[in-house]
Amino acid sequence: MIIDCHGHYTTAPPQLGEYREAQKAAVGADPTFVGEKGTIEIGDEALIDSLERNQLRLQRDRGLDLTLFSPRASWMEHHVGNQHTSRFWSEQCNDLIRRICDLYPDNFAPVCQLPQSPGATIDASVTELRRCVEQHGFIGCNVNPDPSGGMWNGPTLDDRSFWPLWEALCELDVPAMIHVSATCNPHFHSTGSHYLGSDTTAFMQAMTSGLFRDFPQMRWIIPHGGGAVPYHWGRFKGMAEENTAAGWLTVDEMLENVWFDTCVYHQPGIDLLLDVIPTSNVLFASEMVGAVKGKNPDTGEYYDDTRKYVDRAAISDEQRVAIFETNVQHVFPRLRIGDAQ
Amino acid sequence: MIIDCHGHYTTAPPQLGEYREAQKAAVGADPTFVGEKGTIEIGDEALIDSLERNQLRLQRDRGLDLTLFSPRASWMEHHVGNQHTSRFWSEQCNDLIRRICDLYPDNFAPVCQLPQSPGATIDASVTELRRCVEQHGFIGCNVNPDPSGGMWNGPTLDDRSFWPLWEALCELDVPAMIHVSATCNPHFHSTGSHYLGSDTTAFMQAMTSGLFRDFPQMRWIIPHGGGAVPYHWGRFKGMAEENTAAGWLTVDEMLENVWFDTCVYHQPGIDLLLDVIPTSNVLFASEMVGAVKGKNPDTGEYYDDTRKYVDRAAISDEQRVAIFETNVQHVFPRLRIGDAQ
């Protein structure tokens, strides 16, 4: 069985974008705009069509069984609007994910986005996490380490303001993928430099702060193969060893709480990841349909068909089973294979 | 012959830091403080001692011949002070580099820092570049893609405000290492997430903007093994292929103007770099004495002894000569081996 731990609903029918554009127009005119959750009229047929032509087709073509499915990351845009609009937007996006998982319980399991909002407390995110997990069977969430959208002017992940969320993750026994959204800072390209830089930044914040000492049960997935971290594993290992007296965690200690996904879109990158990071800390993922949709002209294969890279990697069959199937069940204990999610 | 293209004077006698602290105190009290260049009293003996105990000892121990030597990157701190203090600080730091290269013409070749300053034009940097190259024999410079120190609120590298500097680089036929300094943003750790994230960001800015179309002769070195870029080479290649119509450069086009150094502190990282990036685009470097000073307890070897990784890599002797010796002479045509620099 092959479980993809990182997929976003990037192919939603236009009504979802129209809802968001109306929100944006309203908060653009009045930053204190509240509005209401309202409704988005998308029939099951439209949902089915958007998935059958994209994620489900690729799942079948690539022999994948199940995708942990969350709202489109680049659309979370926590920097847009305010706490109210962020809340309604998150609820709508998460409700769509729930419907998709009800339509295809064997193909998708639900992961939620959170209504983070610059300057607001984390309370609304805890509330939405509880709603999704306790009432709607979600098994994990995405946490944005920079809800400012590339301005990096909010609290760091070890700041006490994040603690209610970390406590809720531990209590509910769900992991967090630490995943930024689109950037409004022209220095960064969202799915290029911003995603990868943020992955590295999140890892570093946890390592230097010793955050996991306070939350030994917390589980983080650092997506996109961990940003730059595995490629520079010696750098991080050496820096941590020099700074244990300052409270840093060692890389081995980090691996008690951190997993990396396989969203690395060429064979040498996957080979490095699997060489450097223990098998037990790697989760299969492709993030399709995502940042890179095309085929590599050198190979004729889709860049994001990461299964092929893992299949070809010089690891044992037992290791492959761990990466494809069993590690993810450890990290997401609420995932129930074969049951409706 | 082994040439290290990336070394900083991180071991300067205390008088240099005292000069800077006095500047910081003065601009702290009055942001419009001008002051004067003044003098820093450091005798040759103190310079010699600081180098013999550190960089020269390690050069000898590791069998390295020559280091392209620039002021301490984390101390450039362009976000501190104003155009005037940044200018005097840069001149002092570069003057020290000149003295060192006069003392050890066979061991060091001079690379300068520039007096970038948030909100100021690039003119002072062009002036200092010309002073260093035309009057003092410098062969390259370091350009900070984020002189704000992690706030990322200045112009991007493709902005027209940078063009006078790019024009000067081309005219003088010197390359730029695109290298940030320390960060004042608590989200980033300077030599960890900030350095690596900035490397990736600089590459992405050039790729998405097509900057090198306007400066086909410009040569950039992206340090620290290119940040996250080689590890995610498939991602960058695929994104570029999807966006050629939007004016992006392909990764092959980028390699006409960009080189990566070997400051990657473990064997698997170097192996990936040399596997993915053409030999002609890799320059040997260690950045000692720098971010990681210790030995890897698993191997007993210094993390930053990158020569060992290159020696062991599965490449031909011809490739090793290119990486150690000949590529760097192509990128730095003002480097004259055997002559006083």
Side-chain angles (χ1 to χ4, degrees):
Chain A
M1 181 166 197
I2 299 182
I3 302 170
D4 183 338
C5 80
H6 185 181
H8 303 293
Y9 189 30
T10 52
T11 59
Q15 295 92 319
L16 184 64
E18 290 160 8
Y19 174 95
R20 183 60 164 169
E21 289 307 315
Q23 261 198 342
K24 286 185 183 181
V27 293
D30 173 10
T32 66
F33 175 77
V34 175
E36 55 186 16
K37 181 174 177 180
T39 54
I40 301 178
E41 298 291 342
I42 301 177
D44 283 353
E45 289 304 311
L47 287 185
I48 288 168
D49 182 62
S50 73
L51 295 160
E52 289 286 348
R53 287 189 293 111
N54 296 292
Q55 290 85 356
L56 288 168
R57 173 178 60 83
L58 292 171
Q59 269 191 358
R60 285 189 292 264
D61 286 350
R62 300 178 185 183
L64 313 183
D65 297 289
L66 175 67
T67 299
L68 309 199
F69 209 49
S70 61
R72 186 173 187 170
S74 64
W75 276 15
M76 297 192 297
E77 290 185 316
H78 296 109
H79 59 282
V80 172
N82 55 48
Q83 178 65 91
H84 305 289
T85 55
S86 189
R87 174 189 155 198
F88 296 141
W89 173 237
S90 293
E91 289 179 3
Q92 289 286 6
C93 290
N94 292 334
D95 290 352
L96 268 187
I97 295 294
R98 178 66 268 171
R99 285 179 60 197
I100 287 167
C101 295
D102 288 339
L103 287 166
Y104 294 100
D106 294 331
N107 297 92
F108 297 109
V111 171
C112 60
Q113 78 175 49
L114 300 176
Q116 297 173 251
S117 190
T121 71
I122 205 70
D123 295 352
S125 294
V126 175
T127 300
E128 178 63 1
L129 178 69
R130 287 192 180 283
R131 182 183 82 93
C132 288
V133 174
E134 294 181 326
Q135 298 176 34
H136 297 290
F138 281 63
I139 65 170
C141 65
N142 296 330
V143 172
N144 188 341
D146 174 34
S148 77
M151 311 313 287
W152 293 100
N153 56 10
T156 54
L157 294 171
D158 56 299
D159 188 83
R160 290 272 168 167
S161 61
F162 270 105
W163 281 35
L165 179 58
W166 306 147
E167 289 165 351
L169 290 177
C170 294
E171 178 202 327
L172 297 169
D173 205 16
V174 294
M177 178 172 282
I178 310 299
H179 198 309
V180 285
S181 185
T183 170
C184 56
N185 186 328
H187 277 279
F188 307 122
H189 180 274
S190 292
T191 57
S193 48
H194 189 48
Y195 278 19
L196 302 178
S198 301
D199 300 336
T200 311
T201 298
F203 184 89
M204 198 79 195
Q205 288 184 10
M207 189 167 85
T208 58
S209 68
L211 175 65
F212 296 120
R213 282 200 193 91
D214 292 298
F215 298 98
Q217 304 307 315
M218 184 155 65
R219 297 181 301 282
W220 279 9
I221 300 113
I222 308 281
H224 321 107
V229 173
Y231 175 45
H232 287 280
W233 196 242
R235 188 180 191 88
F236 290 92
K237 181 170 180 290
M239 294 181 90
E241 287 163 357
E242 285 181 36
N243 288 285
T244 52
W248 292 29
L249 297 171
T250 66
V251 291
D252 287 341
E253 289 170 328
M254 286 292 287
L255 291 176
E256 295 175 20
N257 300 87
V258 168
W259 284 258
F260 299 103
D261 79 11
T262 65
C263 292
V264 180
Y265 295 155
H266 63 153
Q267 188 71 48
I270 290 290
D271 289 344
L272 177 134
L273 174 68
L274 301 184
D275 182 21
V276 169
I277 304 300
T279 298
S280 54
N281 289 83
V282 178
L283 305 183
F284 175 71
S286 71
E287 202 175 7
M288 64 89 173
V289 179
V292 186
K293 299 175 188 64
K295 287 182 178 179
N296 187 337
D298 301 337
T299 63
E301 297 173 350
Y302 285 106
Y303 284 105
D304 67 359
D305 188 0
T306 53
R307 179 189 168 170
K308 287 198 166 68
Y309 310 133
V310 177
D311 275 342
R312 292 179 191 134
I315 55 175
S316 68
D317 289 345
E318 289 72 19
Q319 288 177 296
R320 239 178 298 275
V321 169
I323 291 166
F324 280 143
E325 181 177 350
T326 51
N327 291 345
V328 66
Q329 297 183 64
H330 167 72
V331 175
F332 291 82
R334 286 176 179 263
L335 175 63
R336 295 280 179 272
I337 307 296
D339 295 353
Q341 296 293 333
Chain B
M1 181 166 196
I2 299 182
I3 302 169
D4 184 338
C5 82
H6 186 181
H8 303 293
Y9 189 30
T10 52
T11 59
Q15 294 93 319
L16 185 63
E18 290 161 8
Y19 174 96
R20 183 61 164 168
E21 289 307 314
Q23 261 198 342
K24 286 186 183 180
V27 293
D30 173 12
T32 66
F33 174 76
V34 176
E36 54 186 15
K37 181 175 177 180
T39 54
I40 300 177
E41 298 291 343
I42 301 175
D44 284 354
E45 289 305 310
L47 287 185
I48 290 168
D49 182 63
S50 74
L51 296 160
E52 289 286 348
R53 288 189 293 111
N54 295 293
Q55 290 85 356
L56 288 168
R57 174 178 61 82
L58 292 171
Q59 270 192 357
R60 285 189 291 263
D61 287 350
R62 300 176 184 183
L64 312 182
D65 297 290
L66 174 66
T67 299
L68 308 199
F69 210 48
S70 61
R72 185 174 186 169
S74 64
W75 276 15
M76 296 191 297
E77 291 185 315
H78 297 109
H79 58 282
V80 172
N82 55 49
Q83 178 65 92
H84 305 289
T85 55
S86 188
R87 173 189 156 199
F88 296 142
W89 173 237
S90 292
E91 289 180 3
Q92 289 286 6
C93 289
N94 292 334
D95 289 352
L96 267 187
I97 294 294
R98 180 65 269 171
R99 286 180 60 197
I100 287 167
C101 295
D102 288 338
L103 286 166
Y104 294 100
D106 293 331
N107 298 93
F108 298 109
V111 171
C112 61
Q113 78 176 48
L114 300 176
Q116 297 172 252
S117 190
T121 71
I122 204 70
D123 295 351
S125 295
V126 174
T127 300
E128 177 64 1
L129 178 69
R130 288 193 179 282
R131 183 184 80 94
C132 288
V133 174
E134 296 181 326
Q135 300 176 34
H136 298 290
F138 282 63
I139 65 170
C141 66
N142 296 330
V143 172
N144 187 342
D146 173 35
S148 77
M151 311 313 288
W152 294 100
N153 56 11
T156 54
L157 294 170
D158 56 299
D159 189 83
R160 290 270 167 168
S161 61
F162 269 105
W163 281 34
L165 179 58
W166 306 148
E167 289 165 352
L169 290 177
C170 294
E171 177 201 328
L172 297 169
D173 204 14
V174 294
M177 179 172 281
I178 310 299
H179 197 308
V180 285
S181 184
T183 169
C184 58
N185 186 327
H187 277 279
F188 307 123
H189 180 275
S190 292
T191 57
S193 49
H194 189 48
Y195 278 19
L196 303 177
S198 302
D199 301 335
T200 311
T201 298
F203 184 90
M204 197 81 195
Q205 287 183 12
M207 188 168 85
T208 58
S209 67
L211 175 64
F212 297 120
R213 280 199 195 93
D214 292 298
F215 298 97
Q217 304 307 315
M218 185 156 63
R219 298 181 299 282
W220 280 8
I221 301 112
I222 308 280
H224 321 107
V229 173
Y231 175 45
H232 286 280
W233 196 243
R235 188 180 193 88
F236 290 93
K237 182 171 180 289
M239 294 180 89
E241 286 162 358
E242 286 181 37
N243 288 284
T244 52
W248 293 29
L249 297 171
T250 67
V251 291
D252 287 341
E253 289 170 328
M254 286 291 288
L255 291 176
E256 294 174 21
N257 300 86
V258 167
W259 285 259
F260 299 103
D261 79 9
T262 65
C263 292
V264 180
Y265 294 158
H266 64 153
Q267 189 69 50
I270 291 289
D271 289 344
L272 177 133
L273 173 68
L274 301 184
D275 183 20
V276 169
I277 305 300
T279 298
S280 54
N281 290 83
V282 178
L283 305 183
F284 175 72
S286 71
E287 202 176 4
M288 64 88 171
V289 181
V292 186
K293 298 174 188 64
K295 288 183 178 178
N296 187 337
D298 301 338
T299 63
E301 297 173 350
Y302 285 106
Y303 283 104
D304 66 1
D305 188 359
T306 53
R307 179 189 168 171
K308 287 198 167 67
Y309 311 133
V310 177
D311 276 341
R312 292 180 192 133
I315 55 176
S316 69
D317 289 344
E318 288 72 21
Q319 289 178 294
R320 240 178 300 275
V321 169
I323 291 166
F324 280 142
E325 180 177 351
T326 50
N327 291 346
V328 67
Q329 297 183 63
H330 167 73
V331 176
F332 292 82
R334 286 177 179 263
L335 175 63
R336 295 282 180 271
I337 306 296
D339 296 352
Q341 297 291 334

mmCIF file of all heavy atoms in Angstrom, chain A residues 2 57-64 286 288 293 302-308 311:
data_model
loop_
_atom_site.group_PDB
_atom_site.id
_atom_site.type_symbol
_atom_site.label_atom_id
_atom_site.label_comp_id
_atom_site.label_asym_id
_atom_site.label_seq_id
_atom_site.Cartn_x
_atom_site.Cartn_y
_atom_site.Cartn_z
ATOM 1 N N ILE A 2 0.478 2.222 -0.805
ATOM 2 C CA ILE A 2 1.284 3.435 -0.903
ATOM 3 C C ILE A 2 0.437 4.631 -0.488
ATOM 4 O O ILE A 2 -0.583 4.936 -1.114
ATOM 5 C CB ILE A 2 1.843 3.618 -2.328
ATOM 6 C CG1 ILE A 2 2.744 2.426 -2.681
ATOM 7 C CG2 ILE A 2 2.605 4.932 -2.425
ATOM 8 C CD1 ILE A 2 3.387 2.517 -4.048
ATOM 9 N N ARG A 57 -6.854 10.474 -11.198
ATOM 10 C CA ARG A 57 -6.215 9.934 -12.399
ATOM 11 C C ARG A 57 -4.738 9.644 -12.130
ATOM 12 O O ARG A 57 -4.227 8.572 -12.473
ATOM 13 C CB ARG A 57 -6.357 10.950 -13.542
ATOM 14 C CG ARG A 57 -5.594 10.584 -14.809
ATOM 15 C CD ARG A 57 -5.819 11.618 -15.921
ATOM 16 N NE ARG A 57 -5.385 12.964 -15.564
ATOM 17 C CZ ARG A 57 -4.114 13.403 -15.658
ATOM 18 N NH1 ARG A 57 -3.167 12.589 -16.100
ATOM 19 N NH2 ARG A 57 -3.799 14.642 -15.310
ATOM 20 N N LEU A 58 -4.062 10.603 -11.494
ATOM 21 C CA LEU A 58 -2.636 10.410 -11.232
ATOM 22 C C LEU A 58 -2.401 9.331 -10.171
ATOM 23 O O LEU A 58 -1.429 8.576 -10.256
ATOM 24 C CB LEU A 58 -2.000 11.742 -10.812
ATOM 25 C CG LEU A 58 -1.954 12.790 -11.937
ATOM 26 C CD1 LEU A 58 -1.519 14.147 -11.390
ATOM 27 C CD2 LEU A 58 -1.007 12.350 -13.053
ATOM 28 N N GLN A 59 -3.280 9.284 -9.167
ATOM 29 C CA GLN A 59 -3.173 8.185 -8.186
ATOM 30 C C GLN A 59 -3.184 6.834 -8.905
ATOM 31 O O GLN A 59 -2.338 5.970 -8.650
ATOM 32 C CB GLN A 59 -4.350 8.221 -7.211
ATOM 33 C CG GLN A 59 -4.158 9.035 -5.944
ATOM 34 C CD GLN A 59 -5.282 8.771 -4.934
ATOM 35 O OE1 GLN A 59 -6.221 8.021 -5.186
ATOM 36 N NE2 GLN A 59 -5.158 9.419 -3.772
ATOM 37 N N ARG A 60 -4.161 6.678 -9.797
ATOM 38 C CA ARG A 60 -4.291 5.402 -10.507
ATOM 39 C C ARG A 60 -3.086 5.159 -11.414
ATOM 40 O O ARG A 60 -2.506 4.067 -11.419
ATOM 41 C CB ARG A 60 -5.579 5.390 -11.338
ATOM 42 C CG ARG A 60 -6.842 5.195 -10.521
ATOM 43 C CD ARG A 60 -8.063 4.980 -11.415
ATOM 44 N NE ARG A 60 -8.430 6.160 -12.173
ATOM 45 C CZ ARG A 60 -9.375 7.041 -11.798
ATOM 46 N NH1 ARG A 60 -10.058 6.856 -10.683
ATOM 47 N NH2 ARG A 60 -9.645 8.087 -12.544
ATOM 48 N N ASP A 61 -2.702 6.191 -12.171
ATOM 49 C CA ASP A 61 -1.583 6.027 -13.108
ATOM 50 C C ASP A 61 -0.304 5.625 -12.375
ATOM 51 O O ASP A 61 0.538 4.898 -12.914
ATOM 52 C CB ASP A 61 -1.317 7.332 -13.861
ATOM 53 C CG ASP A 61 -2.387 7.612 -14.913
ATOM 54 O OD1 ASP A 61 -3.216 6.709 -15.169
ATOM 55 O OD2 ASP A 61 -2.396 8.730 -15.465
ATOM 56 N N ARG A 62 -0.140 6.148 -11.187
ATOM 57 C CA ARG A 62 1.116 5.945 -10.469
ATOM 58 C C ARG A 62 1.041 4.822 -9.438
ATOM 59 O O ARG A 62 2.024 4.547 -8.753
ATOM 60 C CB ARG A 62 1.517 7.258 -9.780
ATOM 61 C CG ARG A 62 1.714 8.394 -10.779
ATOM 62 C CD ARG A 62 2.051 9.705 -10.108
ATOM 63 N NE ARG A 62 2.112 10.770 -11.113
ATOM 64 C CZ ARG A 62 2.443 12.036 -10.839
ATOM 65 N NH1 ARG A 62 2.743 12.387 -9.596
ATOM 66 N NH2 ARG A 62 2.480 12.934 -11.802
ATOM 67 N N GLY A 63 -0.135 4.212 -9.306
ATOM 68 C CA GLY A 63 -0.264 3.116 -8.359
ATOM 69 C C GLY A 63 -0.245 3.553 -6.909
ATOM 70 O O GLY A 63 0.229 2.821 -6.034
ATOM 71 N N LEU A 64 -0.740 4.750 -6.641
ATOM 72 C CA LEU A 64 -0.844 5.225 -5.263
ATOM 73 C C LEU A 64 -2.226 4.879 -4.724
ATOM 74 O O LEU A 64 -3.197 4.830 -5.478
ATOM 75 C CB LEU A 64 -0.618 6.739 -5.192
ATOM 76 C CG LEU A 64 0.592 7.292 -5.955
ATOM 77 C CD1 LEU A 64 0.710 8.798 -5.732
ATOM 78 C CD2 LEU A 64 1.874 6.588 -5.531
ATOM 79 N N SER A 286 4.181 13.277 -2.652
ATOM 80 C CA SER A 286 4.453 13.803 -3.998
ATOM 81 C C SER A 286 3.997 15.250 -4.162
ATOM 82 O O SER A 286 4.486 15.960 -5.020
ATOM 83 C CB SER A 286 3.766 12.943 -5.052
ATOM 84 O OG SER A 286 2.363 13.137 -4.998
ATOM 85 N N MET A 288 1.360 16.189 -5.477
ATOM 86 C CA MET A 288 0.669 16.400 -6.744
ATOM 87 C C MET A 288 -0.802 16.674 -6.449
ATOM 88 O O MET A 288 -1.348 16.109 -5.527
ATOM 89 C CB MET A 288 0.854 15.196 -7.678
ATOM 90 C CG MET A 288 0.253 13.903 -7.167
ATOM 91 S SD MET A 288 -1.478 13.693 -7.674
ATOM 92 C CE MET A 288 -1.802 12.024 -7.116
ATOM 93 N N LYS A 293 4.291 20.569 -12.501
ATOM 94 C CA LYS A 293 3.279 19.706 -13.120
ATOM 95 C C LYS A 293 3.782 18.988 -14.363
ATOM 96 O O LYS A 293 3.151 18.053 -14.847
ATOM 97 C CB LYS A 293 2.049 20.536 -13.493
ATOM 98 C CG LYS A 293 1.389 21.185 -12.287
ATOM 99 C CD LYS A 293 0.253 22.105 -12.707
ATOM 100 C CE LYS A 293 -0.260 22.885 -11.504
ATOM 101 N NZ LYS A 293 0.744 23.815 -10.925
ATOM 102 N N TYR A 302 6.990 12.382 -15.159
ATOM 103 C CA TYR A 302 6.594 13.550 -14.390
ATOM 104 C C TYR A 302 7.611 13.813 -13.275
ATOM 105 O O TYR A 302 8.020 12.888 -12.563
ATOM 106 C CB TYR A 302 5.215 13.336 -13.758
ATOM 107 C CG TYR A 302 4.075 13.445 -14.734
ATOM 108 C CD1 TYR A 302 3.399 12.312 -15.177
ATOM 109 C CD2 TYR A 302 3.671 14.683 -15.213
ATOM 110 C CE1 TYR A 302 2.350 12.405 -16.081
ATOM 111 C CE2 TYR A 302 2.620 14.787 -16.123
ATOM 112 C CZ TYR A 302 1.972 13.646 -16.546
ATOM 113 O OH TYR A 302 0.939 13.730 -17.449
ATOM 114 N N TYR A 303 7.996 15.080 -13.142
ATOM 115 C CA TYR A 303 8.898 15.450 -12.045
ATOM 116 C C TYR A 303 8.346 15.015 -10.688
ATOM 117 O O TYR A 303 9.096 14.549 -9.829
ATOM 118 C CB TYR A 303 9.116 16.970 -12.022
ATOM 119 C CG TYR A 303 10.042 17.499 -13.075
ATOM 120 C CD1 TYR A 303 9.544 18.171 -14.190
ATOM 121 C CD2 TYR A 303 11.428 17.357 -12.953
ATOM 122 C CE1 TYR A 303 10.393 18.676 -15.162
ATOM 123 C CE2 TYR A 303 12.285 17.870 -13.921
ATOM 124 C CZ TYR A 303 11.758 18.524 -15.021
ATOM 125 O OH TYR A 303 12.615 19.030 -15.976
ATOM 126 N N ASP A 304 7.026 15.199 -10.501
ATOM 127 C CA ASP A 304 6.473 14.941 -9.172
ATOM 128 C C ASP A 304 5.997 13.506 -8.990
ATOM 129 O O ASP A 304 5.317 13.213 -8.006
ATOM 130 C CB ASP A 304 5.375 15.962 -8.828
ATOM 131 C CG ASP A 304 4.134 15.816 -9.703
ATOM 132 O OD1 ASP A 304 4.108 14.940 -10.593
ATOM 133 O OD2 ASP A 304 3.190 16.606 -9.486
ATOM 134 N N ASP A 305 6.362 12.621 -9.894
ATOM 135 C CA ASP A 305 6.058 11.196 -9.714
ATOM 136 C C ASP A 305 7.148 10.595 -8.825
ATOM 137 O O ASP A 305 7.996 9.808 -9.267
ATOM 138 C CB ASP A 305 5.991 10.496 -11.067
ATOM 139 C CG ASP A 305 5.494 9.061 -10.932
ATOM 140 O OD1 ASP A 305 5.212 8.622 -9.794
ATOM 141 O OD2 ASP A 305 5.406 8.380 -11.974
ATOM 142 N N THR A 306 7.102 10.991 -7.565
ATOM 143 C CA THR A 306 8.193 10.636 -6.644
ATOM 144 C C THR A 306 8.212 9.140 -6.316
ATOM 145 O O THR A 306 9.213 8.640 -5.826
ATOM 146 C CB THR A 306 8.076 11.449 -5.344
ATOM 147 O OG1 THR A 306 6.757 11.285 -4.821
ATOM 148 C CG2 THR A 306 8.337 12.926 -5.614
ATOM 149 N N ARG A 307 7.121 8.453 -6.599
ATOM 150 C CA ARG A 307 7.148 7.010 -6.368
ATOM 151 C C ARG A 307 8.279 6.352 -7.161
ATOM 152 O O ARG A 307 8.947 5.440 -6.677
ATOM 153 C CB ARG A 307 5.815 6.374 -6.774
ATOM 154 C CG ARG A 307 5.883 4.876 -6.547
ATOM 155 C CD ARG A 307 4.745 4.079 -7.096
ATOM 156 N NE ARG A 307 5.122 2.661 -7.036
ATOM 157 C CZ ARG A 307 4.293 1.659 -7.254
ATOM 158 N NH1 ARG A 307 3.034 1.893 -7.538
ATOM 159 N NH2 ARG A 307 4.732 0.417 -7.187
ATOM 160 N N LYS A 308 8.474 6.811 -8.388
ATOM 161 C CA LYS A 308 9.512 6.202 -9.223
ATOM 162 C C LYS A 308 10.893 6.343 -8.581
ATOM 163 O O LYS A 308 11.714 5.437 -8.641
ATOM 164 C CB LYS A 308 9.505 6.844 -10.619
ATOM 165 C CG LYS A 308 8.323 6.434 -11.483
ATOM 166 C CD LYS A 308 8.602 6.732 -12.965
ATOM 167 C CE LYS A 308 7.613 6.037 -13.880
ATOM 168 N NZ LYS A 308 6.236 6.566 -13.771
ATOM 169 N N ASP A 311 11.040 3.969 -5.663
ATOM 170 C CA ASP A 311 11.130 2.592 -6.167
ATOM 171 C C ASP A 311 12.558 2.249 -6.593
ATOM 172 O O ASP A 311 13.023 1.124 -6.404
ATOM 173 C CB ASP A 311 10.199 2.413 -7.376
ATOM 174 C CG ASP A 311 8.769 2.075 -6.973
ATOM 175 O OD1 ASP A 311 8.564 1.648 -5.820
ATOM 176 O OD2 ASP A 311 7.869 2.247 -7.820
#
